[in-house]
Amino acid sequence: MKPALFSVLCEIKEKTVLSIRGIQEEDPPDAQLMRLDNMLLAEGVSGPEKRGRGAPMAVAATPGGCPNDNSIEHSDYRAKLSQIRQIYHSELEKYEQACSEFTTHVMNLLREQSRTRPISPKEIERMVNIIHGKFSTIQMQLKQSTCEAVMILRSRFLDASEEAKEELAKKGGITVSQVSNWFGNKRIRYKKNMGKFQEEANIYAAKTAVDATNVVAQGNQANSPSTPNSASSGSFKMTNSGDSFINLQSLTSYQSSPVGGSVQSQMDSLHHVIHQTGRYDTIVGNPLYTTQRIDANGSWQDATTPSSITSPAGDPGSVHSDASN
DNA sequence: TTTGATGATTGCGT
DNA sequence: ACGCAATCATCAAA
């Protein structure tokens, strides 16, 4: 009965998440980022394109031997997931490009400054590290938003209709109310976990912002007060806006929890860095930095099927945490 | 024994 | 009727 529900809901995750563990694409600076990366990998958003990964989640409603009666929805799900995937990669690329451009910009400014004052390689390195740190944080927001979008999308397709519940109940040999309980518990617990995660992320962001500000403050002491504001250094232009987040949200009509404060602190410290190197006005107001859009929509309002839908979650024998943990 | 995860129940608001 | 949030009971792992 419960194990049956598992096999219906979770079999794929067992094969994927477990095998994915420990295979991060990059070297995650902290556990949260690692979790997000794992989730994105498990959902088939990041990592190599695998046909059939991610999409099977939708098929989970009619698994094994039951060739889809809802193939339309499934292809729809696949299409939307693919859209999310596209947006994610496009945004990620933009961020990386922006990071590299901005780093170059700052390096140029420093080079100019080096004509009027000595600039140590250490100082340059410190600047670059700060910038990269900030962009990493922004990337983390992107990853988080993407994870949430996938969760919502899934919930739309899995939890949207009574038929799906009945199907699940039938397949699992349990009652519809048990399925409802399962989803209900998952929703509330996922939300709670996300809340916790958000808190941690805020603390982390605040801490890095303070660190960066301190570093910059030190740098300012060393800096000449008359920083050359040359035309040649010009203004730093971001090449994109990151507006795709709106698309991500419109995909799922998702409204996430507010975390703007932490992001704002990232921006503030970034501004510090920019200011130190000469100009910051051009970056202010750039859509890329108005990351509040990611999260300025208020609170959760809709069902969010947790990633653990695909993980061993109900079996008393194989209790495990959500992938969102 | 404690802790964490999970399923189920209950009360409340819409 | 439905979903949400709080809570309880149970089980397994630490």
Side-chain angles (χ1 to χ4, degrees), chain A residues 211-228:
Chain A
D211 290 349
T213 306
N214 289 340
V215 171
V216 170
Q218 282 179 348
N220 274 336
Q221 288 179 343
N223 262 0
S224 157
S226 57
T227 301

Side-chain angles (χ1 to χ4, degrees), chain A residues 11-69:
Chain A
E11 63 178 4
I12 293 146
K13 190 79 165 245
E14 283 182 330
K15 292 173 192 155
T16 55
V17 166
L18 294 182
S19 64
I20 279 165
R21 274 201 188 173
I23 312 178
Q24 278 79 50
E25 51 199 310
E26 57 201 338
D27 198 355
D30 63 84
Q32 287 137 9
L33 185 54
M34 198 163 79
R35 281 192 216 115
L36 287 174
D37 285 338
N38 273 339
M39 263 183 82
L40 290 172
L41 273 170
E43 304 306 331
V45 174
S46 67
E49 176 125 24
K50 291 182 207 162
R51 274 288 59 131
R53 269 293 314 133
M57 294 341 332
V59 187
T62 59
C66 182
N68 28 322
D69 14 345

